[in-house]
Amino acid sequence: MTGPAHIFDKPNRYIGKSSPRADAARLLQGRGKFVDDVTLPRMVHAAFLRSPFAHATITAIDTAEAKDAPGVIAIYTGHDLTDHVTPYVGVLTHLKGLRSAPQHPLAVDVARWQGEPVVMVIATSRALAEDACELVEVDYEELPAVVDTETALDADTPVIHPEFGNNLAWERDVVAGDIDAAFAASGVQVIDREFRFGRHTGVTLESRGTLCDFDPSENELTVYYSGQAPHMMQVIFATHLDLPEENVRVISNDVGGSFGIKIHTYGDEIATAAAAKLLKRPVKFIADRFESFVTDIHARDHVIKARIGVTNDGDIVGIDLDDLTGVGPFSMYPRTSAIECNQILNLTGAPYNLDNYRAKGRVVFQNKTLMCQYRGVGHPIAMAVADGLLDDAARAIGMDPVAVRHLNLMADDSYPRASATGMKLDDLSHQKALTKLTDIMDYKGLREKQTEDRKNGIYRGIGFVSMVEVTNPSPMFYGVGGASIASQDGATVRLDAGGALHVASSITEQGQGTNAILAQIAAGVFGVALNRVKVTTGDTKTTPYGGGTWASRGAGIGGEAMLQAAQALKDQVLAVAAVMLQTSADKLDIQDGAVTDPDGTLRLPLADLARTVYYRGNELPNDLNPELIATRHYRVTDFPFVFTNGAMAAHVEVDTATGFIKVLHFWAVEDCGRVINPLLVDEQIRGGVVQGIGGALYEECQYSEDGQMLNATMADYMVPMASEMPDITVAHIETPTKTSVLGAKGAGEAGTGGAPAAILNAVNDALSPLNASIWQMPMTPERVLNAIDAAK
């Protein structure tokens, strides 16, 4: 069956899938006219019946009773949409060997995780659509669920996609030097640990949502989208709904938090767009919080066995790790679910001088919610493994954790250079950052107080991390793999007749202050007051083409494009002013909204210049063709990424009787290049630290043995709240990147990437007098007590 399974012109009368009567009724409904004396709303609402099983065959779907429910407009199953939505596959060519099965917006024949959408009901209200969902009868034949990552590759484990033969999605090996020889050398101590990281998700203030409207007269789809990458989604909607790309408009205004959650393709959103196209009317879907927990991507589900070798003098001779991660039944489209593992392989130990490095990564399918990129992709794990091992090694040889870092961190004057895994590094300041960190936290004083506290039975610990952060990604990240994901960003700056600037950027506003940064750059470069700049973002119809907001790229890439566009417009304006004032452009400037002499003497208000150009062009020379608008695009070249670096420390207290951990204070020194807006940068880092605290101490998606998520409510899924937030001191070192004029790197993910490692090390420092340690996150009270008991 194709097309709408059922369509109704009144709540209780079926008018068929396709007939002149049905088409006329839908057309009248779409225009808000009367149909048999009943006025139906033009906008309708989608609700989804989702699989209650982690793995099951769908043997039958009965919608007979639901079709007669009040307000129901249409009902769709997976098979109903197969002729209208082409399936999508989450692979990238540069991740060699990555495989995933084709995915449909609604499950077709088999449901592969609890929460996968199976049936979509369209009704005149969300409540009526939900009521009708309860009337849909679906017969399932439950199948064995693959839940345990560590047994996913066993010979007797069921295979989720039989055509693959096993549950392996991707694997990669990284080898530098000779790790076995390094570990076997005389005088080398080898420390090995098993790290476990709990799967968790980004709990955005605003849940996912979309409103899709189709105009059949123009064959155009407009999508209001709560997400991060409008141009990426424009390509996806066009490709999979068989529309010309120019006929798809995606609008993403002022999104209430994303954290990487809202940069992926979700079946319910694609299905909503398909319904709008088929019904030729607006269809709205807003995920409730339960739907968010079981459908928003998860992250960080890793089991890592790792070793570090150090000499008795503290030199690191090598790191060896084996990462196993479960990513759900599919690789997420289009960014894939292998990137997190890949980042861990690339970034573990990246701040340190390493000659020998070996890493193996395996990504496996499982019957859980899909995993993909979430704030700080891979960084919290890579930093926790390397710095957790390093602190453990320092304890083993009796060396101070700060001293061992200073000994092994790359020198600040050693750049450009590469990491052991071949990552190109430049413009970093690890040594300066660590020195500044220990100064602002009064490290010596804290150690002295710690000694006194231990005499009184108070277990406090201090933990450090030295980290890198991937920012400003180049086309070598996604574009090279065949994904339609722009690594460039664009900016347009226009002078209006009143002397104000109108700027448009492909970067989007997710609550991080993007619009303020863009306005600040444009105003500062061009020469007008901040309140004379109007910013437009998040609309594929009105903004230049670009990648949007992800991977800490807003200021570094979008900001550089804005700087270049503002400078280009300034040059154009000064060229016009030079003709009008009969001087040369190099003898003029723009300050406070007026053309001035270099010393600030007023020569010509911008409004007068603009009105002359726009209204009285006859007063200008015939060979002068003034342009009061400029567009520029910018991308990073030569480097796959622009790296930032930082040093962080946590001070914690562990109650050894209850296992509770309290973070007393947190310090972060970040080098994100040129700091454009200190307040915004500081709060981005603080917010990231709090999310890192969540992953370290509280957040975990818990599953039963049969694949049921057990804590999919805000009452059961723990997130840090105001009472758990410590004082967070933020300081900066500014080493501008040489890849741009602006010199800005990213800062949005640093806190999330570094905080878990610092807290892990602080907790283990606190537990060290008891010879106890913990290597699993979140570090819940139960796990802390188990670690203490194990040491007795």
Side-chain angles (χ1 to χ4, degrees), residues 600-647:
T601 302
L602 177 65
R603 297 294 301 275
L604 180 67
L606 286 175
D608 289 354
L609 180 147
R611 287 173 181 140
T612 299
V613 170
Y614 289 135
Y615 307 147
R616 304 189 304 278
N618 59 295
E619 298 178 7
L620 300 173
N622 291 339
D623 60 351
L624 180 65
N625 296 302
E627 291 283 351
L628 301 188
I629 186 171
T631 297
R632 293 292 184 271
H633 283 80
Y634 171 74
R635 73 185 191 284
V636 173
T637 58
D638 298 328
F639 286 81
F641 317 98
V642 173
F643 280 93
T644 70
N645 70 274

Side-chain angles (χ1 to χ4, degrees), residues 625-695:
N625 296 302
E627 291 283 351
L628 301 188
I629 186 171
T631 297
R632 293 292 184 271
H633 283 80
Y634 171 74
R635 73 185 191 284
V636 173
T637 58
D638 298 328
F639 286 81
F641 317 98
V642 173
F643 280 93
T644 70
N645 70 274
M648 301 181 184
H651 187 208
V652 306
E653 182 174 328
V654 179
D655 186 328
T656 57
T658 65
F660 279 90
I661 299 167
K662 183 176 180 59
V663 184
L664 304 173
H665 203 110
F666 197 94
W667 298 265
V669 175
E670 173 76 356
D671 187 343
C672 60
R674 179 163 289 117
V675 176
I676 301 167
N677 187 312
L679 179 61
L680 287 177
V681 172
D682 286 0
E683 296 316 309
Q684 277 286 294
I685 292 172
R686 287 192 176 96
V689 167
V690 172
Q691 264 185 313
I693 291 172

Side-chain angles (χ1 to χ4, degrees), residues 4 6-9 15-33 35 40-42 73-74 76 216 275-282:
H6 307 285
I7 301 176
F8 311 91
D9 68 335
I15 62 175
K17 288 192 301 175
S18 180
S19 69
R21 175 77 176 93
D23 294 341
R26 291 198 297 277
L27 181 61
L28 289 171
Q29 291 168 16
R31 294 178 178 175
K33 300 294 181 64
V35 179
L40 297 178
R42 173 161 165 73
I73 303 297
Y76 300 90
K277 184 184 177 189
L278 291 168
L279 296 174
K280 302 176 176 60
R281 64 194 300 176

Side-chain angles (χ1 to χ4, degrees), residues 292-349:
S292 294
F293 274 118
V294 297
T295 61
D296 289 2
I297 62 104
H298 296 174
R300 321 274 209 254
D301 187 353
H302 293 259
V303 178
I304 297 181
K305 297 177 181 179
R307 301 185 296 162
I308 190 171
V310 295
T311 68
N312 291 328
D313 294 328
D315 291 302
I316 302 173
V317 302
I319 292 177
D320 183 21
L321 69 91
D322 186 324
D323 177 23
L324 180 64
T325 177
V327 295
F330 300 94
S331 174
M332 198 72 178
Y333 178 75
R335 294 169 185 266
T336 85
S337 298
I339 293 292
E340 185 171 76
C341 176
N342 197 51
Q343 293 277 68
I344 293 167
L345 303 185
N346 286 336
L347 299 179
T348 300

